[in-house]
Amino acid sequence: LAPSPSPNNYYFESLFSSRYPISLFPSIPIANYAFDLATLSFIGGLILLSTLSLSLILHLGLRSRRFSHLQHFNYLWTVRLLLVTFASLWALNELLRLPIFRQNYLYPFLPAITLEQQANFCKVHAVLSLGFFEPGFLVTLLFLVNVSIKKRLPRRMWALPIALCASCSPILLLQGIFVFYSPFQGQLPKLMHGSSILLTDALGKKTVLCTYPFFSSAIFGAFAIAYSLAFLLSCWRVVTFVINKSIRARIDMLVSTLMFTLPMQILCLALTFLWSPNDLAYCFSVLTMFSSVAWLLVVSLVILVIKPISDALAAW
């Protein structure tokens, strides 16, 4: 006597099935579960590192109030705080694309999560990840590298977070238009603009898997190429100015990490369009992309937040 599904549900499921056929492989949920657990472990480690960075920033701020000689090392605390904030929000946003999180942890708070709502979570994840959190982190990273060679300290440091966030608004706007509004829907395959598919497991349970739309990936790829050129130019200026071998080694480490992880992320985004999200190769590509970005965040936080503050506290 269960009520018959509404026409909207049939229409919604047909949108998903138009991209990939629904498959019934018992081993696929187990593979996705393993990759989700690995991603959760990386997210937990990144959150712990961000918490450590935040505690050091606050500790230096408190110490600088008591000791005036530490105020020079604390003038960039707002930018470092913004860097840590973007890293933490990016890690938390990755939880939205994990089916294990949406089903096991959001359920007590949102007990009536429909398939359409799960698809909306995937849209939010794609827009925020590739349109705001990661670009915001990269722009803040570039600012910290540039300001390190300036002789005069920037004025009105409280306005810098607003300016840095505003610089990410164009890419965020483009991501929102192509992901939420899909201007080419019906004219191009769903592969080009869709952000999720519907998967049915061996028990008949339907699950929404998040994907990365083609236009969203292309927009971020163009941003990453332009950003890499600007970052290389800024780091070259810093290296020519810096004499300290230790600082130069940190900059070289930062440059080599970014020039490896960003192309790796773009490559993995391109490879995801070769397989269905329920394939093992797709899961491996997404995990590789996630781990490469997470490694860039870890190296950046250590070099630009943890290490400078630790050296300042140890010197005084």
Side-chain angles (χ1 to χ4, degrees):
L1 299 178
S4 59
S6 62
N8 292 332
N9 289 335
Y10 281 122
Y11 173 73
F12 179 72
E13 295 182 11
S14 64
L15 288 179
F16 285 121
S17 59
S18 62
R19 179 179 178 184
Y20 296 108
I22 296 175
S23 56
L24 300 174
F25 293 98
S27 60
I28 294 301
I30 298 177
N32 287 337
Y33 187 80
F35 281 103
D36 288 352
L37 289 180
T39 303
L40 285 174
S41 62
F42 287 134
I43 292 176
L46 186 57
I47 293 299
L48 289 177
L49 184 65
S50 300
T51 303
L52 175 62
S53 303
L54 178 61
S55 62
L56 286 176
I57 293 174
L58 297 178
H59 180 63
L60 181 62
L62 295 176
R63 292 288 298 272
S64 63
R65 292 178 179 271
R66 298 177 55 188
F67 304 99
S68 58
H69 49 265
L70 288 176
Q71 294 180 358
H72 175 75
F73 297 98
N74 195 42
Y75 73 96
L76 286 176
W77 72 271
T78 54
V79 185
R80 290 193 176 102
L81 182 62
L82 186 63
L83 192 73
V84 175
T85 301
F86 276 129
S88 303
L89 293 178
W90 179 86
L92 294 175
N93 183 60
E94 288 297 310
L95 294 173
L96 295 180
R97 70 174 177 85
L98 301 179
I100 183 178
F101 177 80
R102 295 198 305 267
Q103 296 174 1
N104 297 336
Y105 297 98
L106 286 181
Y107 181 79
F109 304 98
L110 301 174
I113 300 179
T114 63
L115 296 177
E116 187 174 2
Q117 289 173 339
Q118 292 188 46
N120 290 332
F121 280 131
C122 293
K123 292 180 180 181
V124 171
H125 162 261
V127 171
L128 292 181
S129 180
L130 299 180
F132 186 62
F133 292 148
E134 187 175 354
F137 181 91
L138 294 175
V139 171
T140 308
L141 180 67
L142 181 62
F143 176 82
L144 280 175
V145 172
N146 284 328
V147 80
S148 62
I149 61 175
K150 294 184 179 296
K151 297 181 180 180
R152 294 184 179 182
L153 304 183
R155 297 181 179 180
R156 297 182 179 179
M157 295 298 297
W158 57 268
L160 286 176
I162 300 177
L164 293 175
C165 292
S167 63
C168 302
S169 57
I171 185 174
L172 178 62
L173 179 62
L174 290 176
Q175 294 281 1
I177 292 175
F178 282 100
V179 174
F180 282 99
Y181 296 99
S182 301
F184 299 103
Q185 185 176 359
Q187 303 175 6
L188 297 174
K190 195 172 186 295
L191 170 69
M192 308 294 286
H193 57 81
S195 57
S196 57
I197 70 162
L198 184 66
L199 176 69
T200 303
D201 59 16
L203 300 178
K205 183 178 180 181
K206 293 180 173 60
T207 303
V208 174
L209 298 181
C210 296
T211 61
Y212 293 94
F214 173 81
F215 288 112
S216 180
S217 302
I219 293 171
F220 179 79
F223 166 79
I225 293 174
Y227 176 85
S228 299
L229 296 177
F231 189 82
L232 282 177
L233 179 61
S234 298
C235 290
W236 177 78
R237 293 173 55 196
V238 173
V239 169
T240 57
F241 181 82
V242 172
I243 303 177
N244 191 302
K245 293 182 179 180
S246 177
I247 297 179
R248 179 172 296 184
R250 298 178 191 176
I251 297 175
D252 292 339
M253 178 65 179
L254 186 61
V255 172
S256 60
T257 301
L258 185 137
M259 297 310 298
F260 172 77
T261 55
L262 272 187
M264 179 63 67
Q265 182 183 11
I266 297 175
L267 176 62
C268 291
L269 280 173
L271 291 177
T272 56
F273 298 102
L274 300 178
W275 304 287
S276 173
N278 57 348
D279 290 338
L280 189 62
Y282 181 94
C283 297
F284 182 78
S285 297
V286 173
L287 181 62
T288 303
M289 178 180 61
F290 169 80
S291 58
S292 63
V293 179
W295 176 246
L296 173 62
L297 301 185
V298 169
V299 172
S300 302
L301 291 180
V302 171
I303 292 179
L304 295 178
V305 179
I306 296 178
K307 191 62 178 176
I309 295 179
S310 299
D311 292 344
L313 294 175
W316 300 94

